[in-house]
């Protein structure tokens, strides 16, 4: 699988509207919830708060399934596994690695945030392939909207649980699974299931 051109994935604080119509970190953070651009048809107009959204980033990390070969244009969807991590708040439940954007650590880059969170939560080093855009999440106890920018990523290296960089190795388990099984494990979270369909569409376009 080949990464997308750098100009398609760059998300810097100083960057104005991107060529593909997406928005920079600063622009999203400055919006009221009813103005936030949402991917996938979700509506946030009824949230009822004027607080800036909490920005997050995460990844759908892919790797070839054991025993499968790479196709000339990359692995077919059925030959891929996607990374899930266990949820601390709900034992036995899973999610995609994602977390809050940290200005000091991520230096204006949502890609850096997604890579850092994936390493901290799952101990996996990654390379970004595609940008899946901004997605809205239900508000937390503070009443603020959560906005997560998801990326499709491929694995570069899996760290051992003892690695310092895998800071949540004692709190979470990483789980590689097929895209189809991931759908079943995430069935209670339709917004995440929809991301899998987005990945399959991108893979199909890449193979075509």
């Amino acid at each position: 699988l080949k990464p997308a051109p750098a100009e398609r994935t760059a998300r810097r604080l100083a960057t104005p509207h991107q060529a593909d119509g997406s928005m920079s970190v600063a622009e999203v953070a400055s919006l009221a919830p009813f103005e936030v651009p949402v991917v996938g048809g979700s509506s946030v107009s009824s949230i009822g708060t004027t607080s800036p959204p909490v920005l997050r980033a995460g990844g759908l990390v892919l790797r070839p399934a054991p025993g499968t070969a790479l196709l000339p244009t990359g692995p077919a969807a059925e030959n891929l596994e996607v990374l899930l991590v266990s949820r601390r708040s709900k034992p036995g439940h899973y999610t995609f690695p994602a977390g809050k954007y940290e200005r000091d650590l991520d230096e204006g880059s949502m890609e850096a945030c997604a890579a850092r969170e994936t390493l901290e939560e799952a101990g996996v080093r990654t390379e970004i392939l595609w940008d899946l855009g901004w997605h809205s999440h239900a508000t937390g106890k503070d009443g603020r909207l959560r906005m997560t920018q998801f990326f499709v990523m491929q694995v570069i290296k899996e760290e051992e649980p003892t690695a310092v960089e895998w800071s949540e190795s004692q709190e979470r388990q990483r789980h590689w699974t097929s895209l189809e099984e991931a759908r079943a494990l995430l069935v209670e979270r339709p917004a995440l299931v929809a991301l899998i369909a987005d990945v399959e569409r991108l893979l199909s376009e890449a193979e075509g």
Side-chain angles (χ1 to χ4, degrees), residues 150-170:
F150 279 104
F151 297 91
V152 183
M153 311 161 89
Q154 63 182 349
V155 63
I156 295 176
K157 180 182 179 182
E158 296 182 45
E159 298 289 356
E160 296 296 327
T162 53
V164 174
E165 297 88 348
W166 189 358
S167 58
E168 298 182 21
S169 62
Q170 302 302 310

Side-chain angles (χ1 to χ4, degrees), residues 64-71 74-76 79:
T68 62
L70 295 180
L71 301 178
N79 294 334

Side-chain angles (χ1 to χ4, degrees), residues 121-164:
E121 293 188 3
V124 174
R125 298 184 185 275
T126 56
E127 178 181 37
I128 289 178
L129 298 174
W130 297 295
D131 179 358
L132 292 175
W134 293 94
H135 295 252
S136 66
H137 293 251
T139 55
K141 294 181 180 180
D142 58 4
R144 295 178 65 186
L145 180 72
R146 267 67 177 161
M147 291 295 301
T148 303
Q149 187 170 12
F150 279 104
F151 297 91
V152 183
M153 311 161 89
Q154 63 182 349
V155 63
I156 295 176
K157 180 182 179 182
E158 296 182 45
E159 298 289 356
E160 296 296 327
T162 53
V164 174

Side-chain angles (χ1 to χ4, degrees), residues 172-190:
R172 300 182 189 268
Q173 292 83 46
R174 65 184 173 209
H175 179 62
W176 291 101
T177 183
S178 67
L179 298 181
E180 197 58 39
E181 183 185 351
R183 277 194 176 89
L185 291 172
L186 300 171
V187 66
E188 296 178 355
R189 308 186 72 186

Side-chain angles (χ1 to χ4, degrees), residues 18-205:
Q18 308 299 317
D20 60 2
S22 59
M23 306 189 76
S24 68
V25 177
E27 287 173 318
V28 174
S30 68
L31 294 175
F34 58 82
E35 298 175 311
V36 170
V38 179
V39 177
S42 301
S43 173
V44 296
S45 59
S46 61
I47 295 298
T49 177
T50 57
S51 300
V54 176
L55 302 185
R56 305 170 73 252
L60 278 70
V61 184
L62 305 176
R63 75 174 186 185
T68 62
L70 295 180
L71 301 178
T73 55
E78 60 268 24
N79 294 334
L80 289 171
E81 292 183 329
V82 64
L83 175 65
L84 301 179
V85 292
S86 58
R87 298 176 64 187
R88 291 181 295 191
S89 60
K90 286 190 174 183
H93 291 71
Y94 293 90
T95 187
F96 296 123
K100 186 178 177 181
Y101 167 75
E102 301 286 351
R103 182 181 296 272
D104 293 341
L105 296 176
D106 302 321
E107 299 182 341
S109 169
M110 297 310 289
E111 293 97 327
C113 177
R116 176 179 56 78
E117 288 290 342
T118 301
L119 181 59
E120 290 177 357
E121 293 188 3
V124 174
R125 298 184 185 275
T126 56
E127 178 181 37
I128 289 178
L129 298 174
W130 297 295
D131 179 358
L132 292 175
W134 293 94
H135 295 252
S136 66
H137 293 251
T139 55
K141 294 181 180 180
D142 58 4
R144 295 178 65 186
L145 180 72
R146 267 67 177 161
M147 291 295 301
T148 303
Q149 187 170 12
F150 279 104
F151 297 91
V152 183
M153 311 161 89
Q154 63 182 349
V155 63
I156 295 176
K157 180 182 179 182
E158 296 182 45
E159 298 289 356
E160 296 296 327
T162 53
V164 174
E165 297 88 348
W166 189 358
S167 58
E168 298 182 21
S169 62
Q170 302 302 310
E171 305 170 49
R172 300 182 189 268
Q173 292 83 46
R174 65 184 173 209
H175 179 62
W176 291 101
T177 183
S178 67
L179 298 181
E180 197 58 39
E181 183 185 351
R183 277 194 176 89
L185 291 172
L186 300 171
V187 66
E188 296 178 355
R189 308 186 72 186
L192 298 185
V193 173
L195 290 173
I196 298 175
D198 291 339
V199 170
E200 290 175 327
R201 174 181 55 80
L202 289 168
L203 288 169
S204 177
E205 293 174 356

